[in-house]
Structure formats: structure tokens, C-alpha cells
Amino acid sequence: MTAVLGVLAPVFGLIGLGLWLRRSGLAPEEHWRTVEQICFRLFFPAMIILSLERADLSGAAVSGMAGAMMVSATLVGGATIVLRKPLLRLWGVETPAYTTIFQSATRWNGFIALAVALELYGPEGGALVAVAMAALIPLVNVANVTLMAMLLSSEGPDAKKILWQIAKNPL
């Protein structure tokens, strides 16, 4: 437990530093969107690719692990869809808030998982998290973008618009 906290402390310290920098006004507000986009579209995919490229996965059951994670994510997403109406009633929320519930149920913080795995298990641990990310990110992003495009469109589902939204997502 101490090792995990030791790994997480710098991650949360960096988050805190970013929050302080944003609130301090050292960089104008409009610049933060650019920083977020560069991290999301360039640095995060590069980090996944480098983690996969550097690790020796010859002894790992990569396809079985990736498959199990994809099945698990599909089951959680499916259950969240099946339970949509009861969840809306239970929490007294409207459809836009439900899309946040769906995203919360299906997404995970890969930055933190990768940092912890690299520190605790070295390059092989980082590579396994990168494999999980490579398997889950496209699946989860397609599911989330599709669900939001279908539920939040005032005109109803449109396959072309949904495909365009999916294509615009870098991951």
C-alpha cells in the first residue's frame, strides 16, 4: 500500500500543480484547451505506443488478458444501458446526466494506472497496462461517442454523424 501511495503522490502533486497554474493566471485560460488537446492527441497515444514497444510480452497471455478486459467492459457498459431507466429514476436525472453515468461506469484513468504499473512492476507491468489501454480505449470510446451521439441529438440517431464523431476521436 505504501508503494502505491508513493507512486500516486507525484501524480496527484502534478495534478495539483496544474490546478494551481491554471488558477494563478500564469497562462491565459484559452491556452489550457491547447495544452489538453496536445496531451490527449499526441502525448497520451505516444506514451501507450512507447510502453508497448519497449516491453517484452513474450511470456504474457496478452490476447487472453485483452479479451477478458474487453468482455468485462462490454458487460459493464451493457448493464449500464439495460439499467438506464431505473438509474434515471433512482437518481432523478435527465438523459444528458445519464451519459455522464455511462462514461463513469466505462472509462478508467489510464494515466494513473500506467504510472502505478510502471513503478511497481517495471516495463512489463507498464506494457500490460498499455495492452489493456490498446484493447479498451477504442471499444470504450466508440461506445461512449455512439451513446452520446444517439441520446443527445435533437434529430435522433444519424449513422453518418455518429461515424464522423467516432472518426474525430484520436484514440
Side-chain angles (χ1 to χ4, degrees), residues 8 40 121 124 140:
L8 291 178
F40 181 67
Y121 305 107
E124 286 74 24
V140 169

Side-chain angles (χ1 to χ4, degrees), residues 52 56-69 124 127-128 130-132 134-135:
L52 286 170
D56 175 18
L57 295 172
S58 60
V62 174
S63 62
M65 184 193 88
M69 296 195 85
E124 286 74 24
L128 289 176
V131 167

Side-chain angles (χ1 to χ4, degrees), residues 60-129:
V62 174
S63 62
M65 184 193 88
M69 296 195 85
M70 292 173 73
V71 167
S72 298
T74 302
L75 290 173
V76 168
T80 307
I81 290 170
V82 168
L83 295 172
R84 177 177 159 223
K85 291 190 185 214
L87 290 173
L88 290 172
R89 281 193 305 277
L90 175 68
W91 289 321
V93 296
E94 301 293 323
T95 296
Y98 167 76
T99 63
T100 301
I101 293 167
F102 185 82
Q103 287 185 67
S104 298
T106 58
R107 291 184 189 262
W108 56 294
N109 195 318
F111 289 115
I112 292 175
L114 192 56
V116 170
L118 283 168
E119 186 64 31
L120 294 179
Y121 305 107
E124 286 74 24
L128 289 176
V129 171

Side-chain angles (χ1 to χ4, degrees), residues 81 99 102 107 138-153 157-159 161-163 165-166:
I81 290 170
T99 63
F102 185 82
R107 291 184 189 262
L139 174 70
V140 169
N141 280 359
V142 167
N144 278 278
V145 169
T146 301
L147 184 91
M148 290 191 327
M150 290 176 66
L151 294 180
L152 300 179
S153 172
D158 178 347
K161 287 181 183 177
I162 291 170
L163 290 172
Q165 290 299 320
I166 291 169

Side-chain angles (χ1 to χ4, degrees), residues 35 37-48 111:
V35 170
Q37 288 299 311
I38 289 170
C39 288
F40 181 67
R41 295 182 183 280
L42 180 64
F43 297 144
F44 190 52
M47 184 174 61
I48 294 170
F111 289 115

